[in-house]
Amino acid sequence: MKNILIIGATGQIGSELTMRLRNEYPEGDVVAGFIKGAEPKGILLESGPSHEVDITNPMQIAEAVDKYKIDTIYNLAALLSAVAEAKPQLAWKIGVGGLYNTLEVAREKKCAVFTPSSIGSFGPGTPADKTPQDTIQRPKTIYGVTKVTGEMLSDYYAHRFGVDTRSVRFPGLISYVAPPGGGTTDYAVDIYYSAVKGEEFKCPLKPGTFMDMMYMPDALRAAIEIMEADPTRLIHRNSFNIASMSFDPEIIAAKIKEHIPGFRMTYELDPLRQKIADSWPNSLDDSCAREEWDWHPEYGLEEMTKDMISHLREKFGIPAPSHQESEVAMAY
Ligand code: VAH
């Protein structure tokens, strides 16, 4: 990879992936694609080129590819699960129509394409524990429908036109940088913000709601390593199960309490997110990714929790409690 276009560069994944790619590929152009109203700011704007690219406008994709001689496109444009349920037509237009536009440009201009899929591409009929790489995918959300369609369309462009399409099925992603936007797994980010700010957290999902989750640094590394993988080893392309940890609200709350003893959580269920989460797997089998391109996670719940808490304290200027304060908090 040398000249890379990230479509959706100011979103939850894109804002961090763009910076990571600029660090990994300093000799090329790593272009931040954005839409009006979500322009790059600060270090994202100052550290490299940016270009207006609305994925529903194929001309803008082609223009950016030509201008920067793009060889690889990261397509991160999507409406996340809960928001998509409120706007299914727009979710399809971006998730599938936008992907089609991207694949057509990639076919004509010989670009490789990464489009993430998700654990949301599975449905209630899928084996829920250690979900296999190849299994039934009948999602009940428009988000899942766009992701399954995207997997099949990307595979089609690979075997029909030779476009180098690759993808991973991301779990719920957790990060301290860009806040999440309208996903079902967002609670696993919001809980850290509440804990660090000393606020009681009202959890939207009930105890026992297990889902695969992943710390953002692992997700970014997966998105890069899959595109750098030796294509002759790939049996699959769109899309690989990847996993690192599976937990429910009780488990993550208990882990946070180990670090912030005063943390309190109650439940205030969100019926839509609960219904979506109940239709998704509890955990994925990622053995194919491990065998075909050496995938492995580096963060578990303990490492992620320590890192999230320290970075969020820094972000909000909240000092870590002294040892004595912690002792007192433990006493209650
Ligand atoms: C969502 N965070 O909740 C996204 C993701 C696996 C979850 O796709 O919609």
Side-chain angles (χ1 to χ4, degrees), residues 72-261:
T72 305
I73 300 172
Y74 277 86
N75 164 23
L76 304 178
L79 292 191
L80 295 184
S81 55
V83 166
E85 282 308 295
K87 305 174 187 171
Q89 293 79 8
L90 183 59
W92 179 268
K93 187 176 174 191
I94 294 171
V96 180
L99 172 60
Y100 174 77
N101 293 341
T102 305
L103 291 170
E104 274 295 284
V105 169
R107 177 177 64 80
E108 286 166 29
K109 301 181 188 292
K110 311 243 178 301
C111 304
V113 180
F114 172 90
T115 301
S117 182
S118 159
I119 60 173
S121 66
F122 298 110
T126 305
D129 297 309
K130 288 296 176 197
T131 300
Q133 172 65 44
D134 300 309
T135 186
I136 184 170
Q137 288 177 277
R138 301 287 291 182
K140 295 297 181 202
T141 64
I142 187 64
Y143 178 71
V145 169
T146 66
K147 288 304 182 184
V148 176
T149 307
E151 290 185 11
M152 294 188 289
L153 193 58
S154 298
D155 268 351
Y156 178 78
Y157 268 73
H159 66 73
R160 176 69 177 74
F161 300 117
V163 178
D164 184 5
T165 57
R166 307 183 195 189
S167 170
V168 296
R169 290 171 185 147
F170 279 136
L173 300 183
I174 295 164
S175 160
Y176 58 84
V177 179
T184 300
T185 60
D186 293 356
Y187 91 91
V189 179
D190 300 336
I191 192 170
Y192 285 107
Y193 279 72
S194 297
V196 164
K197 290 178 180 172
E199 296 162 356
E200 179 183 273
F201 179 63
K202 293 184 169 54
C203 185
L205 300 181
K206 62 187 181 199
T209 306
F210 281 84
M211 288 185 281
D212 260 356
M213 300 282 182
M214 184 174 288
Y215 199 29
M216 186 63 84
D218 272 342
L220 302 179
R221 185 168 47 80
I224 294 170
E225 288 179 0
I226 178 70
M227 297 309 283
E228 291 176 334
D230 173 359
T232 63
R233 290 180 60 195
L234 300 182
I235 298 164
H236 298 83
R237 280 182 169 268
N238 306 280
S239 172
F240 282 92
N241 285 359
I242 56 170
S244 65
M245 59 188 109
S246 169
F247 55 72
D248 79 327
E250 297 285 289
I251 290 171
I252 187 173
K255 177 55 70 179
I256 290 172
K257 279 185 194 146
E258 289 176 19
H259 296 266
I260 304 177

Side-chain angles (χ1 to χ4, degrees), residues 35-53:
I35 57 172
K36 275 197 174 58
E39 292 79 0
K41 298 182 179 69
I43 186 76
L44 188 59
L45 176 64
E46 292 144 18
S47 60
S50 53
H51 196 93
E52 185 179 348
V53 177

